[in-house]
Amino acid sequence: MIKLRKITEENFVDAFNLKLAPGQEAFVSHPIRSLAQAYVYREQCQPFGIYEDDTMVGYVMVIYDYDIPEYDIWHMMIDESKQKKGYGGQALDRVLDYIKTKPFGSSSRVTLTCNRENKAALNLYKSKSFTETGVVYEDEIELSLNLG
């Protein structure tokens, strides 16, 4: 069963060691970049390691946009050696469970962007009821979900 664990000084190097599959660099930033952003936005975000038992298999960050307000999911990735095992869907479920606790604010809106060429990720998000908003950022499309 997949669990989320906050990134701390004990496990951040494990996040640095995660690998994207060839060609996926165009779809998602490596956790090194994301953790730098997490430092800048530390009052409104939480980076997580995605774990199977005691092994980090991926990374994701949840950030709260006070201006909109909404929760955003940034940089979700599964290590290349652990892909195609259902971890992404399970991790997304755990992320949504976390957001439902409203750790930063009361919004029920969850938004993310996805490269339009990343068919596997788009299918995953749509399978979890995310819908396209019509907003496009260069090669990425925005999807959102209302948790009610």
Side-chain angles (χ1 to χ4, degrees):
M1 172 142 174
I2 293 298
K3 294 186 180 184
L4 301 180
R5 293 187 192 157
K6 293 178 179 180
I7 297 293
T8 65
E9 63 183 295
E10 285 80 32
N11 65 359
F12 78 93
V13 172
D14 292 336
F16 289 178
N17 290 327
L18 295 170
K19 304 273 189 258
L20 295 165
Q24 290 180 334
E25 299 84 9
F27 299 155
V28 65
S29 295
H30 191 275
I32 291 173
R33 177 175 181 229
S34 183
L35 285 170
Q37 290 173 314
Y39 176 77
V40 171
Y41 297 111
R42 64 189 168 275
E43 300 300 320
Q44 66 195 82
C45 78
Q46 179 59 61
F48 290 103
I50 300 167
Y51 280 82
E52 177 192 36
D53 298 320
D54 289 325
T55 302
M56 187 183 293
V57 299
Y59 174 87
V60 64
M61 185 164 70
V62 173
I63 188 163
Y64 189 73
D65 188 333
Y66 288 99
D67 295 330
I68 294 181
E70 71 183 11
Y71 285 90
D72 299 318
I73 299 172
W74 284 7
H75 310 294
M76 188 166 129
M77 58 93 65
I78 302 295
D79 186 85
E80 69 174 332
S81 69
K82 302 294 185 178
Q83 293 178 9
K84 300 188 186 331
K85 297 181 180 187
Y87 296 152
Q90 292 177 55
L92 188 54
D93 289 342
R94 298 296 83 73
V95 168
L96 295 174
D97 290 343
Y98 172 75
I99 291 171
K100 286 176 187 174
T101 71
K102 302 187 185 318
F104 296 103
S106 64
S107 180
S108 295
R109 179 179 160 92
V110 182
T111 301
L112 54 83
T113 60
C114 186
N115 186 296
R116 70 181 82 219
E117 301 299 319
N118 191 347
K119 302 299 183 201
L122 283 171
N123 289 337
L124 169 63
Y125 300 138
K126 289 178 179 180
S127 77
K128 302 293 182 180
S129 300
F130 280 83
T131 57
E132 295 182 31
T133 66
V135 176
V136 177
Y137 304 96
E138 297 177 13
D139 57 353
E140 294 192 350
I141 59 174
E142 182 182 82
L143 297 101
S144 70
L145 173 70
N146 191 329
L147 293 174

